[in-house]
Amino acid sequence: MITSNRTPKYLLIFGFILLLMCGFITFTMNQPLQSADPPSPAATTFTDMTSADPDSSFANYLFKKGIIDTLADGGFHPSEPLTRAQAAVFIVKATGLSVDSALTIPFSDVSETHWAKDYIATAANALYVSGFPDGSYHPDEQLTRAQAISLILRLSKQPITGAKLPTSLTDINSSHWATPSIAIGIASSMVRIIDGDKQYLPDSPITRIDFAHALGTFLTQAPDLYTAALEGKLKPLEGNTTVLSTGSQREIEIIIGNEITVKAGDIIKTGVKSSAEINYPDGSRMLLEENTQLTVAEFKGRKYVKADGNEGIAIDWLDTKLKQGTVFYALATKHETTKTPPSAENQKTGLNKLSNQLLASLGGWDLFAAAAQQQAPWYVANKDKKVKIKVDMPWGVASIRGTFVKITVLPNGQSIVNCLTGDVQVTSGGVTITLGENQSTQITQEGSPPTSITSDSSGEVQYFVSEKSWINQTAQIIDQNQETLIDPPTIPPPTTVEVIDDAFSNQNNIGQSDKNEGNNYNGHGNNSPNGNDNSGVNGNGNSNNSGSSSNNGNDNSSSNGNGSSNANGNGNGNSNGNGNSNGHGHDK
């Protein structure tokens, strides 16, 4: 009998398929995360609008809030003028007033049979409308653009002073009765200038969609109207996670697979080889690594309009205290990319105007309130990124504007702050510095200022890469819950996913630069409260012993040794390195 040594054909085929699968998986894992293809314009609540129509999200938002309804044909008729009677209905519903049919109608021209008489009487009783000097209301006449913005601004207790009309306007000046309201409406993007920034057309009728835009914007921009309860959900990922609540005598272990709502004052601890995350409605998240103790001191939420017209709740203020361990903060912000920290010229409002000592000493809401008093006026405040997360560390404070920031506190009190994207201010020893994309700093002892800004070390880069799946997932969730743009730019801004991909690409450049300069970093021990410090805080780091990776030898930013982040050297801390730091009268 002849025995064949040939491999059976089915094994060859199986092996070939296996090789193809491995190659595909390897290729897929090394590809940057891509945003989903933009969806084709979808139908909205109204038959005459799609999601591609300007301001459709605001019309949908008001519909879902019960403020507006479809017309008889199922449409919204966005380009049609709005009548004064319709405006009264919108205002009553927006404020949640109960319609009282027993109220006396205060206007001579609103009959008992008028379809909107009860709404008009309710709005007048609440002093939102008062008609014209002759005692009339003109319910079926068109609401003018001047009357519209004046009416909407009455819904809030916010001041209507301080704003100035754009100098380019040719059809209105400071003598117009509605100038203060129009100036705020333009500054806040509630209303728009027409004809190449030259005209506001105050006496022209406002369209239904322009009124929806103005009202929807105002309801989510005025501080006394946008406040909402903020709910964070704690979810253990692995190992042991406990919570000690205010007033409780014992810690409660949260079983994996369960989640609880975080309350103000909760102290959250993770054990050895344990991790947990806290998730917020806008996509913001916190990832707690092992051996971490974090206190969620207080928090406040803010309503906003999502792109699909649903109402979202975003972090408006979150005060945390990190006693020990590592927390990766992901803060949802408006579409943005920050590769360099704000310039000194831009750091003139909010927290930047507070003295460093005040910043470090104020706690929680006191800090937020102090900043609010000095930041930009309310009608433009939400156009700028502001500090939304405060992190108290043993010897300093981190103030996060966005978007991905990692903070580690070692058992001896030393802190390391790394910014992947966005920006974060770090204050200690009476000094405040601002980190941008792929930058880091340390607080090495009590009372000392933060160390000089450096590019993230190879060890930190490796940490971010190790958490890339969580980062990418978070970026996608943030994009899915993104706030609609009130005044969209001509060129769409980058998505959070695109910003993350860009940051990781820049990290690759950092890593290549490290290799070219001869640095030899290993791991990221400083990310673990019990690990070795590879960044030169407590030891010699992993640079060569002779210090040849630095033009000037030893690391001047190291507390006790020869780290590799010398501010004047050729390593990551090189300040000249890869550039990453780098008509009828007025209606009263």
Side-chain angles (χ1 to χ4, degrees):
M1 183 174 70
I2 300 174
T3 302
S4 175
N5 292 322
R6 291 181 299 176
T7 304
K9 183 180 296 184
Y10 73 87
L11 289 178
L12 291 174
I13 295 174
F14 176 77
F16 179 70
I17 293 174
L18 185 62
L19 285 172
L20 286 176
M21 292 176 64
C22 291
F24 175 77
I25 293 173
T26 301
F27 173 79
T28 302
M29 292 180 67
N30 284 280
Q31 296 308 301
L33 186 69
Q34 299 295 324
S35 301
D37 292 335
S40 32
T44 67
T45 303
F46 307 99
T47 57
D48 54 355
M49 297 179 69
T50 71
S51 59
D53 293 323
D55 300 322
S56 63
S57 57
F58 291 102
N60 287 330
Y61 174 73
L62 296 181
F63 174 83
K64 293 174 181 181
K65 295 282 287 184
I67 297 173
I68 63 176
D69 203 347
T70 57
L71 298 178
D73 61 358
F76 181 65
H77 301 191
S79 60
E80 288 186 3
L82 187 75
T83 68
R84 292 169 54 81
Q86 292 169 338
V89 174
F90 289 178
I91 293 300
V92 169
K93 291 184 176 182
T95 55
L97 291 172
S98 297
V99 178
D100 188 352
S101 60
L103 289 174
T104 301
I105 303 172
F107 305 115
S108 59
D109 59 345
V110 179
S111 68
E112 288 289 342
T113 59
H114 194 282
W115 69 272
K117 72 175 184 65
D118 292 340
Y119 287 96
I120 295 172
T122 300
N125 185 64
L127 304 181
Y128 290 125
V129 299
S130 58
F132 297 97
D134 63 358
S136 62
Y137 183 71
H138 303 183
D140 299 317
E141 289 189 357
Q142 297 168 353
L143 187 74
T144 70
R145 287 168 54 82
Q147 293 167 352
I149 189 61
S150 177
L151 177 59
I152 289 173
L153 286 174
R154 294 173 195 167
L155 303 186
S156 169
K157 297 178 181 179
Q158 301 302 316
I160 56 170
T161 58
K164 295 182 179 180
L165 290 172
T167 57
S168 61
L169 287 180
T170 60
D171 64 341
I172 187 173
N173 56 41
S174 59
S175 64
H176 193 281
W177 69 269
T179 289
S181 297
I182 293 172
I184 287 179
I186 293 172
S188 63
S189 298
M190 283 189 280
V191 291
R192 302 181 176 103
I193 304 175
I194 301 172
D195 188 23
D197 294 342
K198 294 180 180 180
Q199 292 184 309
Y200 177 73
L201 306 180
D203 299 322
S204 295
I206 192 166
T207 63
R208 292 169 57 83
I209 193 62
D210 284 348
F211 190 87
H213 171 96
L215 181 57
T217 300
F218 184 66
L219 293 177
T220 54
Q221 298 295 312
D224 56 332
L225 299 179
Y226 69 51
T227 300
L230 180 66
E231 192 172 84
K233 295 289 188 178
L234 173 63
K235 177 183 178 182
L237 300 178
E238 60 179 341
N240 176 262
T241 300
T242 63
V243 176
L244 178 63
S245 298
T246 301
S248 177
Q249 300 299 315
R250 63 185 183 89
E251 295 179 347
I252 300 175
E253 182 177 356
I254 311 304
I255 307 301
I256 293 177
N258 295 340
E259 64 178 20
I260 65 168
T261 300
V262 177
K263 302 185 295 295
D266 279 356
I267 301 174
I268 303 166
K269 297 180 181 179
T270 58
V272 178
K273 296 183 179 180
S274 304
S275 63
E277 65 183 9
I278 304 176
N279 300 301
Y280 292 92
D282 63 348
S284 297
R285 305 167 93 184
M286 290 186 285
L287 176 63
L288 286 66
E289 301 285 14
E290 67 172 341
N291 296 323
T292 293
Q293 179 173 326
L294 177 76
T295 300
V296 180
E298 59 181 342
F299 42 82
K300 294 181 182 294
R302 178 182 69 85
K303 301 173 186 176
Y304 69 95
V305 181
K306 294 184 182 182
D308 60 4
N310 284 311
E311 181 176 84
I313 306 296
I315 292 177
D316 197 46
W317 172 250
L318 178 60
D319 184 11
T320 67
K321 304 180 187 300
L322 181 57
K323 182 177 181 179
Q324 175 180 305
T326 297
V327 177
F328 203 148
Y329 293 84
L331 173 62
T333 59
K334 295 179 181 179
H335 300 281
E336 55 83 25
T337 178
T338 305
K339 294 187 178 181
T340 56
S343 65
E345 183 64 25
N346 291 330
Q347 297 188 27
K348 294 183 177 180
T349 61
L351 292 174
N352 295 294
K353 291 182 66 176
L354 296 174
S355 69
N356 295 319
Q357 292 82 1
L358 180 61
L359 174 65
S361 64
L362 284 177
W365 184 249
D366 292 332
L367 170 66
F368 183 73
Q373 291 176 359
Q374 301 189 56
Q375 69 182 8
W378 67 270
Y379 47 85
V380 294
N382 279 332
K383 288 188 174 184
D384 299 326
K385 289 172 62 180
K386 67 179 182 180
V387 172
K388 294 185 178 181
I389 298 180
K390 173 174 171 274
V391 185
D392 281 314
M393 303 171 287
W395 300 335
V397 176
S399 306
I400 302 174
R401 287 187 172 87
T403 302
F404 288 88
V405 175
K406 180 176 76 71
I407 300 178
T408 296
V409 174
L410 303 177
N412 62 5
Q414 295 178 348
S415 304
I416 304 100
V417 181
N418 306 93
C419 181
L420 176 62
T421 66
D423 63 84
V424 55
Q425 288 181 314
V426 181
T427 300
S428 66
V431 176
T432 297
I433 63 174
T434 303
L435 303 180
E437 180 184 293
N438 286 325
Q439 293 184 335
S440 62
T441 188
Q442 302 169 6
I443 303 175
T444 59
Q445 61 185 11
E446 187 173 6
S448 67
T451 59
S452 299
I453 297 174
T454 66
S455 297
D456 285 333
S457 69
S458 293
E460 298 303 338
V461 170
Q462 289 175 21
Y463 171 86
F464 287 128
V465 171
S466 72
E467 297 294 350
K468 188 174 183 179
S469 176
W470 185 87
I471 295 171
N472 283 337
Q473 181 190 54
T474 302
Q476 289 180 318
I477 296 173
I478 290 175
D479 283 339
Q480 291 166 3
N481 290 278
Q482 189 62 259
E483 183 172 357
T484 192
L485 295 172
I486 296 175
D487 194 10
T490 303
I491 301 176
T495 65
T496 310
V497 167
E498 291 168 339
V499 172
I500 289 296
D501 280 344
D502 189 48
F504 276 116
S505 177
N506 291 334
Q507 281 190 342
N508 290 334
N509 294 334
I510 294 174
Q512 188 60 46
S513 175
D514 287 346
K515 293 178 181 179
N516 293 340
E517 296 298 339
N519 291 329
N520 180 27
Y521 294 91
N522 294 307
H524 53 277
N526 59 9
N527 296 318
S528 171
N530 297 317
N532 295 323
D533 176 23
N534 294 321
S535 61
V537 177
N538 289 318
N540 294 327
N542 289 318
S543 60
N544 58 62
N545 292 333
S546 64
S548 61
S549 66
S550 167
N551 283 345
N552 294 322
N554 296 336
D555 178 8
N556 294 328
S557 68
S558 167
S559 296
N560 301 310
N562 296 327
S564 54
S565 51
N566 191 299
N568 298 316
N570 293 327
N572 288 337
N574 190 340
S575 59
N576 296 317
N578 58 38
N580 285 324
S581 54
N582 15 207
H584 294 282
H586 51 276
D587 174 24
K588 294 184 176 179

